[in-house]
Amino acid sequence: MDEVTDEGREVSIMPSKPTSAAKDPAANAKDSAAKDLAANAKDPAAKNGGPLLPGRRTGPGHAPRPAPVIALVAAVLAAGCSSPSAERVGTARTPAPAPALSQAPQAGEPRVLAKGLAVPWGIAFLPGGDALVTERDTARLLRVTPAGEVSEVAKIDEARPDGEGGLMGVAVSPRFAQDGLVFLHYTAADDNRIVRYRYDRGLTDATVVLDGIPKGVIHNGGGLAFGPDGYLYATTGETGDRQLSQDLGSLAGKILRMTADGAPAPGNPAQNVIWSHGHRNIQGLAWDSSGRLYASEFGSSSFDEVNLIEKGGNYGWPEVEGVGGDSRFIDPIVTWSTSEASPSGMAYADGSLWVGALRGRKLWRVPIAPDGTAGAAAPLFDGRYGRLRAVTAAPDGSLWIGTSNEDGRGSPGPDDDRVLTLTP
């Protein structure tokens, strides 16, 4: 069997069936990161308040400009080569159980809500409780009801699924009742991009709000979510070109924060859409009840991470992986060995972060104390449902979890892929 990277690590490809379809960052780390962002803001567009980096807002009738494409050679993937490791491997951070958190009740048992899907990647909820679900490899957007009824909303013809790219994140406008807008993050012919649509049982009025995000066979990020501040956040990967994570002239290896029109959100560290940098490949974003932002990040060969995200923060890749203790960088609050995680989707519910593990084939529960301190991570459902990717909190307090056994790297069963629902 051929070998490819599992978000950057080697795993065996399995044949898939056809388908129809709070950390304690040093103050100088934050100050230095903010200065770095400002110092690297060299685009003349800044003088006019425009975006500084590749990626611009476009609308109907505006052809997006070609974007630099950073892709790995297919022969490299066939040889089973992962992207280079960090310059320096740090140490692990495994929090001990806090007394108040160790008594947390165990989660219940998941229930299969929908089955026969093809790599459900993102889940976002509409008012009323139905969810929009993306399928990465078919580029279909589905609507799934709490009763498990599945219908196709649209197929995104502009998406170009390839490797770890395709139709990825989905977000519903917090003003959906007034504006009817949904947003998709997908791989197109020349780049990764974020596109806004008007939704009424179908998609119309497609408008590219941000393009020029580098694409690759691996490490495309793809997360998309509105924060409690009302702005749109997106995650990007470094596409296997690790130096892009520290390059403030590139949108790769970053967390982005923007308005619904794709403009830099007020309060960003510099006059662009970059919120934090030094990331390898982030897919999951979640906010706790105090509004703190967390991100799940794929490591290379030593440590996967959960990071508490600070404005303008530099998270160290590719200079360090894991806890580096370097004042230039912000260390993760939780790490795992890469065999235990490959953390993808993430949600916050019932006082904990819930992280889907692809290679680890489990759901991780990470208790979060009121001050943002992480407790010891607890594994759930080890191996029972295979690779877990999408994890999203539903309006009723439950979790919706998508399996990813049909992505060519799992062992799909007759019902895969599935959407599960779990009451924490």
Side-chain angles (χ1 to χ4, degrees), residues 8 26 53 83 91 109 111 120 137 144 148 161 169 177 186 225 230 274 291 294 300 318-319 327 389 393 402 423:
L53 302 167
S83 62
T91 59
E109 288 296 312
R111 175 174 61 87
D137 294 350
V144 181
Y186 64 79
I274 293 177
Y294 302 83
S300 176
E319 300 301 320
S327 63
R389 184 183 295 275
T423 300

Side-chain angles (χ1 to χ4, degrees), residues 8-64:
R9 289 183 290 279
E10 296 178 11
V11 296
S12 297
I13 264 195
M14 301 298 292
S16 59
K17 69 185 181 184
T19 60
S20 61
K23 175 184 302 187
D24 298 318
N28 58 345
K30 293 197 292 182
D31 293 345
S32 174
K35 291 176 182 176
D36 288 345
L37 281 172
N40 283 273
K42 298 179 180 178
D43 194 309
K47 298 177 182 178
N48 299 318
L52 300 173
L53 302 167
R56 62 184 175 88
R57 287 165 285 146
T58 59
H62 292 77

Side-chain angles (χ1 to χ4, degrees), residues 54-415:
R56 62 184 175 88
R57 287 165 285 146
T58 59
H62 292 77
R65 71 174 185 280
V69 179
I70 310 296
L72 295 186
V73 180
V76 175
L77 288 177
C81 295
S82 62
S83 62
S85 60
E87 297 289 345
R88 178 167 59 89
V89 176
T91 59
R93 173 161 286 162
T94 306
L101 299 175
S102 61
Q103 305 302 317
Q106 295 295 312
E109 288 296 312
R111 175 174 61 87
V112 175
L113 187 65
K115 56 188 179 181
L117 307 184
V119 194
W121 202 104
I123 301 172
F125 285 90
L126 296 164
D130 288 3
L132 297 178
V133 178
T134 58
E135 288 187 323
R136 187 190 70 183
D137 294 350
T138 66
R140 294 195 307 164
L141 180 66
L142 307 176
R143 181 166 179 158
V144 181
T145 73
E149 299 170 349
V150 179
S151 58
E152 181 175 321
V153 174
K155 187 175 187 299
I156 309 304
D157 293 332
E158 295 78 16
R160 298 290 184 272
D162 182 28
E164 293 172 4
L167 181 57
M168 299 176 291
V170 55
V172 174
S173 168
R175 300 183 64 254
F176 183 85
Q178 291 77 40
D179 59 30
L181 297 178
V182 300
F183 297 75
L184 297 176
H185 191 169
Y186 64 79
T187 306
D190 296 320
D191 58 8
N192 286 312
R193 57 183 52 193
I194 298 168
V195 182
R196 184 182 70 212
Y197 300 85
R198 195 166 303 280
Y199 174 80
D200 185 10
R201 298 287 174 173
L203 300 181
T204 59
D205 299 338
T207 301
V208 178
V209 298
L210 188 70
D211 63 1
I213 304 170
K215 61 175 276 189
V217 177
I218 62 172
H219 302 182
N220 289 283
L224 197 63
F226 278 93
D229 57 6
Y231 294 110
L232 183 63
Y233 291 73
T235 70
T236 70
E238 33 81 306
T239 71
D241 185 350
R242 61 184 189 164
Q243 299 304 325
L244 292 180
S245 296
Q246 294 292 327
D247 182 356
L248 294 172
S250 171
L251 294 177
K254 312 293 190 296
I255 293 177
L256 311 178
R257 178 176 177 262
M258 70 200 79
T259 69
D261 295 322
N268 278 8
Q271 290 178 298
N272 56 48
V273 296
I274 293 177
W275 186 249
S276 64
H277 64 290
H279 300 292
R280 184 172 181 268
N281 189 32
I282 291 177
Q283 293 183 357
L285 293 175
W287 288 262
D288 68 14
S289 56
S290 296
R292 290 177 290 242
L293 172 60
Y294 302 83
S296 56
E297 182 157 357
F298 293 88
S300 176
S301 56
S302 298
F303 298 114
D304 292 324
E305 304 174 354
V306 169
N307 284 292
L308 174 60
I309 303 301
E310 303 285 345
K311 173 182 176 179
N314 184 344
Y315 288 81
W317 179 259
E319 300 301 320
V320 67
E321 179 180 357
V323 178
D326 187 321
S327 63
R328 295 174 299 166
F329 309 127
I330 300 176
D331 288 332
I333 61 170
V334 176
T335 63
W336 294 277
S337 67
T338 55
S339 63
E340 289 297 307
S342 292
S344 186
M346 182 170 67
Y348 177 84
D350 196 35
S352 295
L353 295 171
W354 305 77
V355 187
L358 291 167
R359 188 179 178 195
R361 293 172 167 79
K362 57 178 68 74
L363 182 70
W364 285 100
R365 180 177 187 173
V366 182
I368 300 295
D371 64 356
T373 304
L380 301 170
F381 319 124
D382 193 358
R384 286 172 50 186
Y385 300 98
R387 295 163 60 81
L388 300 182
R389 184 183 295 275
V391 183
T392 304
D396 64 2
S398 65
L399 296 170
W400 285 30
I401 303 162
T403 69
S404 193
N405 296 315
E406 288 285 353
D407 62 7
R409 297 168 178 177
S411 301
D415 291 340

